[in-house]
């Protein structure tokens, strides 16, 4: 016997008649005006509001239009939202075989649901789904945009972010799987207070700061915090698509509800270069193919590579031992490269996943000081990750990217900028409207297409992917990367007594503003 969940809020939150529903969806999506194109990246996840279409529909449509080019590619949707009618602890899956809306029937991915039930805090609670609108209102949008797909609906009760993140990891899949988080923002404030609180919430979402999201900020705080947690761990990019409230769409302004829409993107896969391609480069370290044969930067930095990695090991070890950055005293025994002003980024990876990356794009202090401080910051102060734990040291990979001075670029549009970019060679710094972001050349390993590289960097800066203005600036640079490994946990710096530098706990001063890569 096939069990079908019937719609609970058709006729109130959205039209009950198929023709009327399809007309309203078509109007909302066309008015959104930001449809994706075949060459645009497809979001891995979206965040969208769940009120009646008259109120939140225009904002939700801004997220769903981003999926238009993925029709036929996305075949499974994991849809999660808060419980408005049943209080419970955990995450509730549905026992139905399909969901019905006026637009037709959507089959549930019962195999995926069965796997989820094996996770802690995941169970079946049909009552949580029966009257819940937070999931249902998104299904007609998904049907209209994607066509055929299988649904994994989850109602979130009281659950910690790690439990939700574990659920997402279990059904992450590849490009065939989309995650939809359903949430409204603040509730029943006046218009000005709503705008103020929602602006702070939006900033927290775009910093992937799940600790700043509570019930006052978002009714769907549980799934939202879980998504931000896993997005931070996976190094995703986020794009704000809309931020409004019911006072902007269809309601009075004395008591409003806030709505926001975001798209989250995974790093694009690398585009392989044929071995015969004259632009072929060893990503990260500048190779003979990509750098001049007499490149003085490369030779000097590679000669000091083991010393640079030892500095990172020492900076992290001092951080574990003291809880503070190591203060560096330089002396004449150090190589000139390390005592001269230099700019570097320190990157930590574990099991191939980014674990921290902090640096500075401009040379303002001796390179030895820059590397040691960024080693501490990457381990303990990268806002995207929790502090490094001693148990993470085995298997921790280290790299130092020493930057050449940034070179301003001249261009009139994105096409002019892209024509000058050298894949595998150039790092890029963009800046506009008070926002700035940087990609190291090593990012070409993950995003090999120049257009996707630029789009991802704009999203990282908090700009729209199509953003361009007369004040938009870009600077390119090269970096020479050296790599090593941390080794096992230790209470003593592996380089104590071996290098002519001293780490001591003293007045740290005010920290500089590092760049997060």
């Amino acid at each position: 016997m096939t069990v079908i969940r019937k719609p609970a809020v058709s006729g109130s939150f959205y039209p009950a008649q198929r023709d009327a529903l399809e007309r309203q969806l078509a109007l909302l999506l066309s008015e959104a005006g930001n449809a994706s194109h075949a060459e645009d990246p497809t979001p891995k996840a979206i965040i969208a509001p769940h009120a009646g279409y008259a109120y939140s529909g225009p904002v939700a449509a801004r997220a769903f239009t981003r999926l238009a080019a993925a029709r036929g590619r996305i075949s499974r949707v994991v849809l999660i939202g808060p419980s408005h009618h049943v209080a419970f602890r955990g995450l509730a899956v549905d026992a139905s075989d399909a969901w019905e809306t006026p637009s037709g029937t959507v089959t549930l991915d019962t195999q995926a649901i069965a796997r989820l039930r094996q996770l802690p805090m995941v169970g079946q609670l049909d009552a949580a789904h029966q009257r819940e609108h937070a999931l249902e209102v998104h299904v007609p949008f998904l049907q209209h945009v994607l066509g055929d797909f299988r649904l994994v609906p989850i109602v979130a009760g009281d659950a910690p972010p790690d439990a939700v993140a574990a659920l997402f990891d279990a059904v992450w899949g590849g490009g065939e799987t989309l995650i939809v988080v359903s949430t409204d923002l603040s509730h029943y404030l006046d218009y000005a207070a709503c705008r103020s609180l929602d602006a702070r919430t939006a900033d927290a979402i775009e910093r992937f700061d799940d600790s700043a999201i509570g019930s006052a900020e978002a009714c769907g705080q549980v799934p939202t915090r879980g998504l931000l947690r896993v997005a931070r761990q996976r190094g995703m990019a986020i794009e704000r698509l809309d931020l409004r409230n019911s006072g902007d769409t269809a309601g009075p302004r004395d008591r409003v509800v806030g709505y926001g829409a975001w798209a989250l993107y995974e790093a694009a896969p690398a585009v392989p270069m044929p071995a015969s391609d004259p632009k072929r480069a060893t990503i990260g370290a500048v190779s003979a193919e990509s750098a001049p044969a007499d490149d003085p930067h490369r030779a000097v930095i590679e000669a000091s590579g083991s010393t640079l990695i030892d500095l990172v090991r020492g900076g992290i070890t001092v951080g574990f031992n003291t809880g503070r950055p190591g203060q560096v005293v330089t002396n004449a025994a150090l190589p000139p490269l390390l005592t001269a002003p230099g700019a570097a980024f320190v990157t930590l990876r574990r099991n191939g996943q980014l674990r921290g990356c902090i640096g500075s794009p401009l040379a303002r202090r001796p390179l030895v000081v820059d590397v040691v401080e960024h080693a501490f910051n990457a381990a303990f102060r990268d806002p995207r990750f929790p502090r490094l734990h001693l148990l993470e040291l085995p298997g921790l990979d280290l790299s130092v990217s020493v930057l050449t001075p940034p070179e301003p670029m001249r261009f009139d549009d994105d096409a002019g900028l892209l024509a000058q970019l050298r894949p595998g060679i150039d790092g890029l710094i963009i800046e506009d409207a008070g926002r700035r972001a940087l990609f190291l050349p090593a990012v070409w390993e993950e995003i090999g297409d120049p257009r996707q590289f630029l789009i991802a960097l704009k999203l990282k800066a908090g700009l729209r992917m199509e953003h361009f203005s007369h004040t938009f600036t870009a600077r390119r640079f090269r970096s020479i990367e050296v790599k090593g490994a941390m080794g096992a946990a230790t209470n003593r710096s592996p380089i104590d007594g071996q290098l002519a530098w001293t780490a001591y706990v003293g007045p740290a001063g005010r920290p500089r503003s590092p760049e997060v890569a």
Side-chain angles (χ1 to χ4, degrees), residues 237-359:
I238 188 167
E239 177 187 18
R240 184 191 301 187
L241 304 173
D242 207 342
L243 186 65
R244 285 185 276 174
N245 61 58
S246 57
D248 298 311
T249 54
R253 295 194 169 188
D254 54 338
R255 276 167 53 88
V256 302
V257 176
Y259 311 125
W262 288 267
L264 289 86
Y265 301 88
E266 290 189 290
V271 176
M273 292 183 180
S276 59
D277 192 324
K279 294 182 179 180
R280 182 170 61 89
T282 301
I283 309 298
V286 178
S287 72
E289 288 91 345
S290 64
D294 57 348
D295 184 358
H297 294 95
R298 175 174 172 265
V300 172
I301 291 168
E302 289 185 348
S304 300
S306 61
T307 302
L308 291 167
I309 294 299
D310 279 343
L311 289 170
V312 176
R313 293 191 187 108
I316 293 174
T317 303
V318 169
F320 275 117
N321 292 343
T322 68
R324 302 183 187 181
Q327 300 299 297
V328 180
V329 177
T330 61
N331 62 43
L334 285 170
L337 169 71
L338 298 182
T339 57
F345 275 73
V346 173
T347 302
L348 312 180
R349 291 185 179 272
R350 196 164 189 274
N351 299 324
Q353 298 294 316
L354 182 68
R355 185 57 183 83
C357 184
I358 296 287

Side-chain angles (χ1 to χ4, degrees), residues 72-94:
R73 297 203 306 270
I74 292 175
S75 59
R76 180 173 68 180
V77 177
V78 179
L79 174 59
I80 182 169
S83 177
H84 289 84
H85 302 287
V86 180
F88 65 97
R89 180 165 174 75
L91 305 165
V93 297
D94 187 21

Side-chain angles (χ1 to χ4, degrees), residues 97-101 104-108 139 143 147-151:
D97 298 300
W99 278 27
E100 181 182 290
T101 76
T105 301
V106 179
T107 301
L108 269 56
V139 178
Q143 290 173 294
D148 293 331
F149 62 93
R150 291 167 296 139
L151 183 66

